C-alpha cells in the first residue's frame, strides 16, 4: 500500500479561512518535508520537520511520530496561497516518498 | 532564492529525438537528483548521484541517462523520446546522500509531439 497518504486531495477556501492539510505515513520517518508548488512553478520547501511543531509566518507544521502523521496548517488564507502542497517523507533511504498533493484554491 | 538552476525550462520535440536537460546547484551539496512529475502532480524519483555513485530507480527506461562532470552538475539525457516522456523534470540537491532536506530547481517541461 501507499507509504504516504495525503489529504484532502483538493480544498477550496474563502480568503481569511484556515486550512489543515494532513499526511499519514506507514513507514519509519526521519523527517517530513513540506513543499509548495505554484502552477507551472518549482517546489519551494516550506518545512523540514522531524518532530514537534514549527512555525513560519502564517504556516505551522506539526509532526507526531507515534501517531504517524504530519500536518500543515495555514491560517488566514490569502489568494496567493493557492497552489499545490506536497508532503514528502524522508525515511533515511536514498529517496523521498511523496504524497499525492493537495490542490488548494483560495477564493477572494 | 533559487540555488538549483535548470535549463531549458521548456522544450518541445518530436518522437525519436534526443533531449538533454542541464542542472547546476550552487549550494555546495553532495547529492543531486532527478524527479519526473506527471500531469497529476505525482513525483517519481529517477536518479540519485553522489560522489560518482549513481542510484537508479529500476522503473526508469534505459533511454534515460544522467551525466555528471562534478558534484555541482547533473544533466539528464533522453536518447530517443517517447510520447509518455512528456512531463516536468525536476532537478534537486541535498547535503547528505541519504536525502535530508531537498532543494528543487524550476523544472524543465518536456512536450513530445
Amino acid at each position: 500500500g501507499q507509504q504516504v497518504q495525503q489529504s484532502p486531495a483538493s480544498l477550496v477556501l474563502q480568503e481569511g479561512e484556515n486550512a489543515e492539510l494532513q499526511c499519514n505515513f506507514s513507514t519509519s520517518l526521519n523527517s517530513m518535508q513540506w513543499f509548495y508548488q505554484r502552477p507551472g512553478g518549482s517546489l519551494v520547501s516550506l518545512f523540514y520537520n522531524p518532530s514537534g511543531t514549527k512555525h513560519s509566518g502564517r504556516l505551522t507544521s506539526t509532526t507526531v511520530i507515534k501517531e504517524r502523521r504530519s500536518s500543515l496548517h495555514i491560517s488566514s488564507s490569502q489568494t496567493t496561497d493557492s497552489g499545490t502542497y506536497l508532503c514528502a517523507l524522508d525515511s533515511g533511504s536514498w529517496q523521498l516518498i511523496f504524497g499525492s498533493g493537495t490542490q488548494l484554491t483560495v477564493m477572494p | 532564492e533559487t540555488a538549483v538552476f535548470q535549463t531549458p525550462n521548456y522544450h518541445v520535440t518530436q518522437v525519436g529525438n534526443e533531449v538533454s536537460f542541464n542542472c547546476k546547484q550552487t549550494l555546495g551539496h553532495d547529492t543531486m537528483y532527478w524527479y519526473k512529475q506527471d500531469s497529476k502532480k505525482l513525483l517519481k524519483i529517477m536518479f540519485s548521484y553522489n560522489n560518482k555513485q549513481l542510484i537508479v530507480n529500476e522503473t526508469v527506461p534505459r533511454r534515460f541517462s544522467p551525466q555528471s562532470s562534478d558534484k555541482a552538475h547533473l544533466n539528464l539525457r533522453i536518447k530517443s523520446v517517447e510520447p509518455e516522456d512528456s512531463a516536468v523534470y525536476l532537478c534537486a540537491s541535498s547535503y547528505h546522500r541519504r536525502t535530508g532536506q531537498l532543494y528543487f530547481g524550476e523544472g524543465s517541461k518536456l512536450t513530445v509531439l
Side-chain angles (χ1 to χ4, degrees), chain B residues 9 15 17 35 44 47 53-54 78 84-85 91 96 102 105:
Chain B
N9 293 124
V15 170
N17 285 349
Y35 281 82
K44 183 179 85 168
F47 305 100
Q53 182 182 7
L54 176 67
I78 313 172
E84 61 264 30
D85 298 337
C91 177
H96 294 292
L102 243 61

Side-chain angles (χ1 to χ4, degrees), chain A residues 6-8 11 13 18-23 34-35 46 60 62 70-74 83-87 101-104:
Chain A
Q6 187 168 355
S7 61
L11 184 61
L13 301 174
N18 299 332
E20 185 87 7
L21 283 56
Q22 187 94 351
C23 278
W34 284 91
F35 294 93
L46 300 174
T60 301
T62 301
S70 180
S71 63
L72 177 69
H73 182 85
I74 305 172
T84 301
Y85 291 81
L86 290 151
C87 65
T102 295
Q103 182 65 45
L104 176 66

Side-chain angles (χ1 to χ4, degrees), chain A residues 24-45:
Chain A
N24 295 295
F25 52 92
S26 57
T27 188
S28 62
L29 176 121
N30 274 10
S31 188
M32 188 70 80
Q33 192 165 2
W34 284 91
F35 294 93
Y36 166 69
Q37 186 174 33
R38 195 171 286 113
S42 178
L43 274 71
V44 175
S45 179

Side-chain angles (χ1 to χ4, degrees), chain A residues 89-101:
Chain A
L89 184 148
D90 176 3
S91 64
S93 73
W94 69 285
Q95 60 172 300
L96 291 184
I97 303 169
F98 278 84
S100 51

